[in-house]
Amino acid sequence: MRVSERTPEPLDRVPDVNQRMCPSRLVLEHVTSRWGVLVLAALLERPYRFSELRRRVGGVSEKMLAQTLQTLERDGFVDRDAKPVIPPRVDYSLTPLGTEAARQVWELARWSERQVAAVERARERYDGARRESATGSSQ
């Protein structure tokens, strides 16, 4: 069936992340998880081997990187290319869908870098007000 021949989804099946059981929530969770964002962003630069990617994404454990890559591969964002050589070589790269997702989350990551000072100031104001409130109510 070609794309143009698809029948539209029933209205009750249209994805809506605000609905409790919507499968788009899981997709959102995968691409916006701490390691998901960083893996997607790294792969936006170029394909990586596992060990290179682990070094690029500082702080990720081998287990978490493997799980994240497997999840992103299952969702269609990452391509795993295992080459039949000795020693084994596996390269990870973005699929077209993964490239689109990576660009979206990377923009959010860059925004958070630009806004970190404003967020820290807001936290200081909030914490100061909470301390004053706690001190004032204990007297």
Side-chain angles (χ1 to χ4, degrees):
M1 178 185 297
R2 291 187 332 201
V3 174
S4 62
E5 296 174 351
R6 288 186 191 158
T7 56
E9 292 183 298
L11 289 178
D12 63 337
R13 303 288 306 212
V14 173
D16 180 353
V17 295
N18 291 315
Q19 296 301 314
R20 183 170 43 122
M21 299 303 290
C22 183
S24 63
R25 280 191 177 189
L26 193 55
V27 174
L28 185 63
E29 180 182 325
H30 293 168
V31 297
T32 61
S33 70
R34 176 195 331 189
W35 304 122
V37 168
L38 298 175
V39 166
L40 289 169
L43 292 174
L44 197 52
E45 299 169 354
R46 65 176 177 85
Y48 279 93
R49 293 177 71 177
F50 186 89
S51 57
E52 291 178 308
L53 192 54
R54 185 160 180 233
R55 285 190 297 274
R56 180 71 179 104
V57 179
V60 66
S61 70
E62 190 172 313
K63 178 182 176 183
M64 283 308 303
L65 180 57
Q67 286 177 355
T68 300
L69 285 166
Q70 186 174 31
T71 297
L72 293 173
E73 181 184 6
R74 182 172 184 255
D75 287 349
F77 299 118
V78 169
D79 180 51
R80 181 181 185 273
D81 182 20
K83 296 184 176 36
V85 296
I86 298 177
R89 180 184 174 106
V90 179
D91 292 308
Y92 295 92
S93 61
L94 294 175
T95 64
L97 183 64
T99 299
E100 184 180 353
R103 286 184 178 136
Q104 297 293 324
V105 297
W106 189 233
E107 185 55 38
L108 179 60
R110 287 293 186 195
W111 176 87
S112 69
E113 290 172 341
R114 291 189 304 270
Q115 299 303 324
V116 71
V119 170
E120 287 174 345
R121 287 190 301 273
R123 288 176 179 166
E124 288 171 9
R125 284 191 306 273
Y126 178 88
D127 293 345
R130 300 275 296 177
R131 278 192 299 276
E132 286 180 24
S133 176
T135 306
S137 63
S138 65
Q139 293 178 359

